[in-house]
Amino acid sequence: MARTRLTPEREGELYEAVLDLLREVGYETLTMDAIAARTRSSKATLYRQWGSKPELVAKALRHNKPGDLSDIDTGSLRGDFHVVLSRTDDCQMEKDAALMRGLSHAVHEYPELLQALRELLIKPEMTGFDEMLQRAVDRGELRADNPALKYIPHMLIGALAARQLIEDRPVDQAFLTDYVDSVVLPALGV
């Protein structure tokens, strides 16, 4: 069956409603009925458009991401990282971090959510990071055999998780910028 074409505005409204509900009730309690009611849609339309709750949640999260990392090319890796970090304000970062903390538990209980997140969110992000890092290698900023290259996503995700855990403070641009300049770039030899 063909998908109904939504306007970008309507699609954005739907995704924002899904994320709001997700923040309010968590993944486990989130239902397609609740999404349909919140968005004044039919449940049949939601399933026809997105197929499943995990796919809808993953696409809502992807839609919420500020642009594609592979599009960033300032001419330097430091500049690229700083542009990535400047794309989201501190308030949105805090909301996103809380959402991801909630989902990090749900992925252990719902393998279909993990699969959807890997396919629709994580894989495109990793591809964008790989392209950004490869451009730095091509420019001669990084050695292609630098062993830290494969751990950059782990380092960044670790920083996001650890700040709240260790310092009981939300992640913000100042922290991430300092972390990238003090830890990530030196690990890469930049």
Side-chain angles (χ1 to χ4, degrees), residues 97 100-101 104 154-169 171 175-176:
M100 295 315 286
R101 279 192 305 274
S104 68
H154 303 80
M155 293 169 80
L156 294 170
I157 292 168
L160 293 170
R163 178 99 194 265
Q164 188 74 42
L165 186 66
I166 294 170
E167 298 177 36
D168 195 25
R169 294 176 60 196
V171 172
F175 170 79
L176 286 177

Side-chain angles (χ1 to χ4, degrees), residues 79-163:
D80 292 350
F81 270 117
H82 285 231
V83 168
V84 169
L85 298 175
S86 72
R87 286 185 163 186
T88 304
D89 64 36
D90 289 346
C91 180
Q92 188 63 45
M93 254 187 239
E94 189 170 349
K95 286 167 61 176
D96 291 348
L99 197 55
M100 295 315 286
R101 279 192 305 274
L103 287 174
S104 68
H105 172 73
V107 297
H108 297 292
E109 302 291 323
Y110 302 93
E112 67 280 0
L113 174 62
L114 179 59
Q115 179 62 34
L117 289 174
R118 280 186 175 149
E119 180 182 321
L120 299 168
L121 186 67
I122 297 166
K123 187 177 176 184
E125 287 287 304
M126 294 304 96
T127 299
F129 261 115
D130 289 345
E131 290 174 14
M132 196 169 80
L133 293 169
Q134 185 58 52
R135 280 194 300 274
V137 169
D138 294 345
R139 286 190 300 261
E141 282 184 274
L142 300 178
R143 288 188 358 255
D145 63 346
N146 183 315
L149 276 173
K150 64 184 176 187
Y151 296 112
I152 299 307
H154 303 80
M155 293 169 80
L156 294 170
I157 292 168
L160 293 170
R163 178 99 194 265

Side-chain angles (χ1 to χ4, degrees), residues 33-57:
D33 285 322
I35 294 168
R38 175 74 59 98
T39 61
R40 296 177 308 285
S41 307
S42 76
K43 196 162 74 167
T45 297
L46 295 175
Y47 279 109
R48 187 173 48 252
Q49 196 74 24
W50 288 281
S52 67
K53 179 174 95 168
E55 186 175 335
L56 176 53
V57 167

